Amino acid sequence: MQTSTTDSTNYRREAFTSLALMIFALAILAESLTYPLTASQGGLENVWYVSPALFPLVVGSCILLLASIQLLKLFKTAKSQQQNVFRFSAESSYKLSQPSIDKFLLVLMLVGYVYGLIPNSDFVIATILFQLTLTCRFYLADAKKLNELLLITFCFVAALLFLTNLLVSFESDSSRLYIGDLISFPALGFVLYKTHCYLTANQQHKQIRILLFASVLLPIIVVLIFKYLLLVPMPSESSVLLLTDYFYYQVLGL
Amino acid sequence: MIEQFQHFFTVLWGLATDPVNLLIVFAASFLGIIFGALPGLTATLGVALLTTLTYGLDVNSALLALLGLYVGAIYGGSYPSILINIPGTAAAAATAMEGYPLASKGEGGKALGLTTTASTIGTLFGLLILVLMAPLIASVALQFTSFEFFLLALFGILISGTLTSEGDALKGWIAGFFGLFLACIGRDTLQFFPRFTFDMPQLDSGLDIVPVLIGAFGIPQIIKVLAERKKLAQAKEFDSVVPEFSEIRKNSKNIARSASIGVGIGAVPGIGEDIAGWVSYGAAKGAAKDKSKFGQGDKSGLIASETANNACIGGALIPLLTLGIPGSAPAAMLLGALMLHGINPGPTLPVEKPDFLLEITAILVLASVAMFCNGMLLAKQVVKLLKVPAPLFMPFVAILCVLGSYALGLNVFNLFLMVPIGIIAYWMIELKYPISPMIIGLILGPMADENLRRALLTTEGDLLPMLSRPVSLILILIMLVVIFQQMPWFKSLLRKCCSAFKSQPNKEEA
């Protein structure tokens, strides 16, 4: 029974992927057909075989053909095993396993980090916040309440920064980053404080040191190596990195 | 010939006497061993991340770092295979079959010594074939016209799609064509017309290979390793790592066979070290007198797998340097790195840079020596790293992926690109669509597109001249066989033909 449900879920996933691929291929073809096929382009009379549409048309057609064959093959196999490809089973669909939830949360955190935090706040703050939330989730797997709190804080900050950037027009990039830091820095402080409280309460002093090293110190070291040794400017530099700039160039005079 | 030898040793001497170069190659090799040894990190990801850091270096130093890491990572995968029965990289999967039983018997040190020596011999054998074959293939490839290059790109995608997909070649081909679509994004090279850019100027120059590669290989790995929450077993204790030359001498035939298999498989576009390891392991088992020892710590199986996966490196470089077609996923990354340094691999490379092949060979020799020394001296230190839990190092790898994607063009858009590519790649892996054909498609796309249109321009839209050229015809025939082989009726026809062919002499004898 279990195998049959798994098979059915797999067939459905495969079938939807094939359908999505077919729609995607049709979109490629539709877009390619808007490119100049025989019309004049840049003062040159075009012929079909040098048209910029030729190759995308070939590629789109091949994907469409292969995805259709894949779908047909799937139907044939499902029929021979008496499985209904598009039957929706409520029983199997709403049970999300722990790995599936983790995968979804990982994607969510990556998206939040790259689209929300990095462009809108100092890279060091964004990275430590991301690193700490991610490391705690999997390293301190038993700390469920702490992890929930960290995740909510992370997602809230990422969404807030993303929406602020989307809805508010800033005078300059630096003012946007400073506003971002005003949101993300207290959040980072809160997250660090809560993690410290949890680990101290549970007498996990070794874990505090490990987490501090892996989530705070290591990202700072890597950022400093990239910035001052490899001379790679960070994607977003504001409060923390301006402070390190001040120390590196003004105080140390390097 | 003598001049070439002289030049080779001059380059080797120049590289080996420069302390900076030595430091780079030894550090990169050690880093590679770590990347290979830590389950979850791969050779491709290592090369992808290091490419960014080598951007500021000169070509030789950059290649020393990249090839040092590549060779080290393929070898490093054997550590967890032998000590905890989990392959560090796919390339070392076959190694676990014999390595772990050996370590369980208390012969972990011997097993590591054998893999170190076999890997070094395999790399050097691959190099020898590279040096011998590359000029021949390049001279033949110089005769190729646009039709051949178009067909070669298509051939690469089809072969890699067929061989890397798990039983369903259709998925491999779809992945390959998806890669070709990704290559279409940006302004086309002939008319500079924007395709699939949706008025986004960042897409005008097309997709950067490095963020796509980091996304495709890094993000799925991070998601998979963290979500599975796998806990590694305690590594087996081992004594000092000693090379057993007597065992190597006994296995000379096995080594020659495995290295040839490795080079041959490496030279086929898109498939790499993992398949080479399994095929040569199978061949060693097939050739063994006492097959019952296999699976219980047979040294010849271990040697076969490790020789082949490292010989694959030289094999993978043959199509890369002569045709511009990468032989494996890490080689695809190397291609990106070479292009970043202004080197365009392909048939014209020996004309443009006549000494480049010798330089690469010298670099690889140095990388092999570094791998051997690191393997012999630092094995115990690397094994300590196996104790670091994945939740501590994988988030750090995510940061490296972000920095690696960004640092190359200093472009935040590369990050916006890396994440969706990574998610798509993860979904593809979940549905058993192979990633390598997609990457091969992305790399070969511009070559296929440009050469198809150029060929049609010369023949005024006529496709028939393609059939009049022998190389084109051979490529078309191979592709047709590859395609038809996926169809049941063709398979049964082939079987019937084979059985008829076999029964013919029997009848004659009767």
Side-chain angles (χ1 to χ4, degrees), chain B residues 346-371:
Chain B
T348 53
L349 187 65
V351 183
E352 288 166 8
K353 288 187 176 288
D355 300 329
F356 189 70
L357 185 65
L358 291 175
E359 284 166 16
I360 281 261
T361 314
I363 287 168
L364 267 169
V365 168
L366 212 57
S368 310
V369 174
M371 180 204 80

Side-chain angles (χ1 to χ4, degrees), chain A residues 159-181:
Chain A
L160 191 65
L161 288 177
F162 182 77
L163 288 174
T164 314
N165 185 30
L166 207 69
L167 302 173
V168 182
S169 60
F170 293 97
E171 275 182 15
S172 64
D173 274 355
S174 55
S175 56
R176 176 172 52 86
L177 288 173
Y178 284 127
I179 298 288
D181 286 354

Side-chain angles (χ1 to χ4, degrees), chain A residues 10 13-14 17-18 21 24 27-29 31-32 34-36 41 44 46-56 58-59 62-63 65-67 69-70 73 98-100 102-104 106-107 110-111 113-115 118-119 123 127-128 130-131 134-135 137-139 141-142 210-211 214 218-219 222-223 226 230-236, chain B residues 52-53 150 167-171 173-174 177-178 180-181 183-184 188 190-198 219 222-224 226-229 389 391-392 394-400 402-404 406-407 410 412 415-420 423 426-427 430-433 444-446 448-449 452-454 456-463:
Chain A
N10 284 343
R13 281 201 321 178
E14 296 263 359
T17 310
S18 299
L21 276 168
F24 174 68
I28 295 176
L29 293 177
E31 173 70 14
S32 308
T34 64
Y35 304 156
Q41 157 72 15
L44 287 167
N46 219 347
V47 273
W48 69 267
Y49 47 82
V50 281
S51 160
L54 178 69
F55 195 65
V58 173
V59 172
C62 288
I63 295 178
L65 180 74
L66 293 170
I69 298 172
Q70 178 84 341
K73 238 177 86 178
Q98 188 57 44
S100 305
D102 282 342
K103 283 169 195 170
F104 172 75
L106 271 163
V107 170
L110 275 169
V111 168
Y113 176 51
V114 168
Y115 295 94
I118 291 180
F123 186 72
T127 302
I128 295 176
F130 169 74
Q131 184 91 353
L134 192 59
T135 311
R137 174 146 202 98
F138 295 97
Y139 184 61
D142 297 333
I210 292 174
L211 268 177
L218 207 55
V222 170
V223 166
F226 267 78
L230 301 168
L231 303 176
V232 176
M234 291 299 108
S236 47
Chain B
T52 316
L53 300 182
F150 166 69
D168 192 354
L170 271 179
K171 287 184 175 174
W173 299 342
I174 290 174
F177 278 101
F178 180 66
L180 284 180
F181 160 73
C184 290
D188 88 284
L190 287 187
Q191 295 185 4
F192 216 53
F193 187 85
R195 298 186 299 194
F196 307 104
T197 56
F198 307 106
I219 304 280
I222 293 165
I223 298 175
K224 207 170 155 230
L226 285 178
E228 281 177 3
R229 295 179 190 240
L392 283 181
M394 282 323 267
F396 181 62
V397 173
I399 309 291
L400 288 181
V402 164
L403 282 172
Y406 168 77
L410 299 181
V412 181
L415 300 182
F416 298 163
L417 193 74
M418 178 194 76
V419 172
I423 295 169
Y426 176 73
W427 185 246
E430 281 281 285
L431 289 168
K432 296 193 167 59
Y433 284 81
L444 298 184
D449 181 14
L452 172 68
R453 285 150 73 192
R454 197 167 279 159
L456 287 172
L457 191 68
T458 52
T459 59
E460 294 186 339
D462 192 0
L463 279 166

Side-chain angles (χ1 to χ4, degrees), chain B residues 41-190:
Chain B
L41 302 183
T42 61
T44 316
L45 186 61
V47 178
L49 292 174
L50 196 68
T51 300
T52 316
L53 300 182
T54 59
Y55 187 52
L57 301 176
D58 66 276
V59 185
N60 277 350
S61 305
L63 284 174
L64 264 174
L66 294 169
L67 288 171
L69 188 135
Y70 183 10
V71 173
I74 297 299
Y75 155 72
S78 64
Y79 281 66
S81 288
I82 292 168
L83 300 173
I84 53 175
N85 204 19
I86 292 174
T89 55
T95 308
M97 297 291 288
E98 304 303 329
Y100 187 68
L102 270 173
S104 304
K105 286 181 202 166
E107 292 185 53
K110 274 185 190 170
L112 282 173
L114 277 177
T115 54
T116 311
T117 321
S119 297
T120 311
I121 295 172
T123 313
L124 294 175
F125 186 91
L127 268 183
L128 187 71
I129 304 294
L130 169 72
V131 174
L132 293 176
M133 294 296 287
L136 288 176
I137 296 174
S139 62
V140 173
L142 271 176
Q143 313 298 318
F144 286 9
T145 62
S146 298
F147 271 131
E148 274 99 13
F149 278 111
F150 166 69
L151 288 170
L152 211 57
L154 217 57
F155 172 79
I157 288 158
L158 271 180
I159 291 287
S160 115
T162 309
L163 296 175
T164 54
S165 53
E166 293 170 31
D168 192 354
L170 271 179
K171 287 184 175 174
W173 299 342
I174 290 174
F177 278 101
F178 180 66
L180 284 180
F181 160 73
L182 292 179
C184 290
I185 296 172
R187 288 186 179 266
D188 88 284
T189 42
L190 287 187

Side-chain angles (χ1 to χ4, degrees), chain B residues 131-390:
Chain B
V131 174
L132 293 176
M133 294 296 287
L136 288 176
I137 296 174
S139 62
V140 173
L142 271 176
Q143 313 298 318
F144 286 9
T145 62
S146 298
F147 271 131
E148 274 99 13
F149 278 111
F150 166 69
L151 288 170
L152 211 57
L154 217 57
F155 172 79
I157 288 158
L158 271 180
I159 291 287
S160 115
T162 309
L163 296 175
T164 54
S165 53
E166 293 170 31
D168 192 354
L170 271 179
K171 287 184 175 174
W173 299 342
I174 290 174
F177 278 101
F178 180 66
L180 284 180
F181 160 73
L182 292 179
C184 290
I185 296 172
R187 288 186 179 266
D188 88 284
T189 42
L190 287 187
Q191 295 185 4
F192 216 53
F193 187 85
R195 298 186 299 194
F196 307 104
T197 56
F198 307 106
D199 295 328
M200 292 163 86
Q202 296 98 328
L203 286 176
D204 270 355
S205 54
L207 302 184
D208 276 340
I209 288 175
V210 175
V212 172
L213 278 170
I214 292 179
F217 288 103
I219 304 280
Q221 208 65 25
I222 293 165
I223 298 175
K224 207 170 155 230
V225 172
L226 285 178
E228 281 177 3
R229 295 179 190 240
K230 264 188 192 164
K231 280 191 179 148
L232 301 181
Q234 188 77 31
K236 297 272 175 203
E237 291 297 321
F238 64 93
D239 42 6
S240 55
V241 180
V242 206
E244 275 197 275
F245 291 112
S246 57
E247 193 68 39
I248 294 287
R249 249 197 318 276
K250 256 194 270 172
N251 276 281
S252 49
K253 257 189 195 172
N254 180 19
I255 288 174
R257 183 183 51 238
S258 306
S260 311
I261 291 172
V263 173
I265 288 177
V268 179
I271 59 168
E273 295 81 9
D274 46 343
I275 296 176
W278 280 115
V279 173
S280 60
Y281 176 76
K285 195 176 174 181
K289 282 174 191 163
D290 185 5
K291 291 182 182 62
S292 64
K293 281 184 183 169
F294 274 75
Q296 291 167 16
D298 188 276
K299 287 176 183 167
S300 60
L302 184 79
I303 291 172
S305 149
E306 279 301 305
T307 310
N309 65 26
N310 270 68
C312 218
I313 297 171
L317 292 179
I318 295 174
L320 176 76
L321 296 177
T322 55
L323 304 167
I325 298 173
S328 66
M333 199 51 245
L334 270 179
L335 175 65
L338 286 174
M339 283 154 104
L340 277 176
H341 286 279
I343 295 163
N344 291 313
T348 53
L349 187 65
V351 183
E352 288 166 8
K353 288 187 176 288
D355 300 329
F356 189 70
L357 185 65
L358 291 175
E359 284 166 16
I360 281 261
T361 314
I363 287 168
L364 267 169
V365 168
L366 212 57
S368 310
V369 174
M371 180 204 80
F372 185 80
C373 297
N374 278 334
M376 286 296 163
L377 302 172
L378 300 170
K380 291 220 168 186
Q381 272 59 39
V382 175
V383 173
K384 280 181 192 161
L385 281 170
L386 288 176
K387 290 175 185 161
V388 179

